[in-house]
Amino acid sequence: MKMPSFKMKGIASAVLLGSTLSAASMAKAVDLNVVLLANEQDEEYDAALVFENYVESRTGGEVNVNVFVGPQLCGSANECFEAMQAGVVDLFTATAGGVAGIYPPIQGMDIPYTFPDDRTAMGMLSDPEFTDFLRGEILEATGDGIRLMTMTQTGGWRNFANAERRIKSPADVEGLRFRTIESEIQQNLVREMGGSPTPLPWLEVYTGLQTGVVDGTKNSISDITNMNFQEVLNHITLDGHAYMASMWLMGNQKFESLTPAQQRVVADGAALMGVVQFGMQPRKELEAYEKWNESGGEIYTPTEEEMEQFRSYAAPIRDWYLDNYGEEGQAFLSQLEAARDRAADEVQADRESALQ
């Protein structure tokens, strides 16, 4: 039987209305451009994918997340922060060295041996009071332009790795050329131990090691094997002189343009990214150490007595930091060290409970 024309018109109208509403809904979707300058092998990528799924599903598609890997929208921390201020980049992850471009005192995180162990380090970077302090500092430093969303880690612990000899104490660093980033604190550590700090762009490190421009590098085991440095390095000493803190930051104008419900989802999603990165790094280190061992490389773990010698180099660098960053540096270190004390107390209390 032929359907009456008025019903056909009603159905057509309903379909058209539904399509119009759907198109309107799609048109209202907010785009968030997430940028990481690492590659898809790094834990930042895993975190970004989790964030994308969480935000899109919890907002019912009101917020659309686009993940950009590598230098597609910007090629350095400073470029990415400029792009964030311009509204091209919405979320970006950077180390303390990168964030120093907008808030210089954060370099205090790289004072050697500030982070005592894994559990305490995670507690320090997850500490709400310290995070709140740093969020306010970055907002003020950027004229309310950039908001800290969460802190986590990227790559784990920096250690001394080289092609020449086993490093058992700071004295063994003497005469060796170590690649560093453009960071006075990192360069001062090598210099104080008698080595020669040599800044090199990351993509030039392999060639530098291969040709003898540098004898070694200060990186995590994951960074080393991701770049195949194990092919030109022979020794690594697990002194853990720095914990590679990472921050996810967001353009504050974009954040404030979201509805309160969307802001909550984005904030919770960012916190989840931090958890993912904390968890992924130890898993990735398993494969990294396996690659190192397969290459025939040596791993040396300093004794407690040897570690005390390494830690003794922290005090003069801390003094240098305070001389250069004054009251702002003192305020930052006070907050960082208070977070360390709180985290250490919590870890110790939990440890004692577990050992009863």
Side-chain angles (χ1 to χ4, degrees), residues 195-215:
S196 298
T198 307
L200 274 182
W202 183 237
L203 295 179
E204 296 178 18
V205 177
Y206 186 98
T207 302
L209 291 166
Q210 193 176 42
T211 59
V213 172
V214 289
D215 302 307

Side-chain angles (χ1 to χ4, degrees), residues 181-313:
I181 64 171
E182 294 282 358
S183 164
E184 283 292 327
I185 286 180
Q186 290 199 32
Q187 291 175 15
N188 282 346
L189 177 62
V190 175
R191 195 176 291 115
E192 288 286 332
M193 292 182 179
S196 298
T198 307
L200 274 182
W202 183 237
L203 295 179
E204 296 178 18
V205 177
Y206 186 98
T207 302
L209 291 166
Q210 193 176 42
T211 59
V213 172
V214 289
D215 302 307
T217 185
K218 295 171 357 71
N219 289 106
S220 72
I221 187 65
S222 300
D223 287 339
I224 287 170
T225 58
N226 280 348
M227 300 297 286
N228 291 319
F229 294 165
Q230 76 275 9
E231 297 174 354
V232 286
L233 293 172
N234 303 310
H235 308 275
I236 186 168
T237 297
L238 305 183
D239 70 303
H241 54 267
Y243 190 74
M244 297 173 68
S246 173
M247 290 117 235
W248 280 99
L249 302 112
M250 184 170 181
N252 194 45
Q253 184 175 356
K254 173 57 75 72
F255 182 79
E256 292 185 339
S257 73
L258 302 175
T259 67
Q262 291 169 347
Q263 288 178 350
R264 178 172 177 172
V265 171
V266 168
D268 288 348
L272 187 56
M273 281 199 286
V275 174
V276 170
Q277 287 186 221
F278 278 130
M280 288 298 297
Q281 177 57 29
R283 174 65 182 87
K284 291 180 181 294
E285 285 184 1
L286 298 178
E287 296 176 0
Y289 279 115
E290 184 177 349
K291 288 181 180 179
W292 177 267
N293 290 328
E294 287 175 353
S295 74
E298 178 201 54
I299 299 173
Y300 183 73
T301 303
T303 65
E304 185 55 34
E305 182 180 351
E306 290 164 345
M307 280 305 305
E308 284 302 313
Q309 295 178 48
F310 281 110
R311 293 187 193 110
S312 70
Y313 284 81

Side-chain angles (χ1 to χ4, degrees), residues 141-214:
T142 60
D144 285 338
I146 296 176
R147 172 180 292 265
L148 172 66
M149 299 305 296
T150 194
M151 284 193 289
T152 181
Q153 63 86 43
T154 173
W157 296 94
R158 283 195 182 100
N159 299 297
F160 285 109
N162 79 101
E164 298 299 317
R165 57 178 175 260
R166 175 189 295 178
I167 294 176
K168 297 179 62 176
S169 72
D172 296 321
V173 173
E174 186 171 357
L176 295 178
R177 298 179 299 264
F178 275 91
R179 181 265 176 179
T180 66
I181 64 171
E182 294 282 358
S183 164
E184 283 292 327
I185 286 180
Q186 290 199 32
Q187 291 175 15
N188 282 346
L189 177 62
V190 175
R191 195 176 291 115
E192 288 286 332
M193 292 182 179
S196 298
T198 307
L200 274 182
W202 183 237
L203 295 179
E204 296 178 18
V205 177
Y206 186 98
T207 302
L209 291 166
Q210 193 176 42
T211 59
V213 172
V214 289

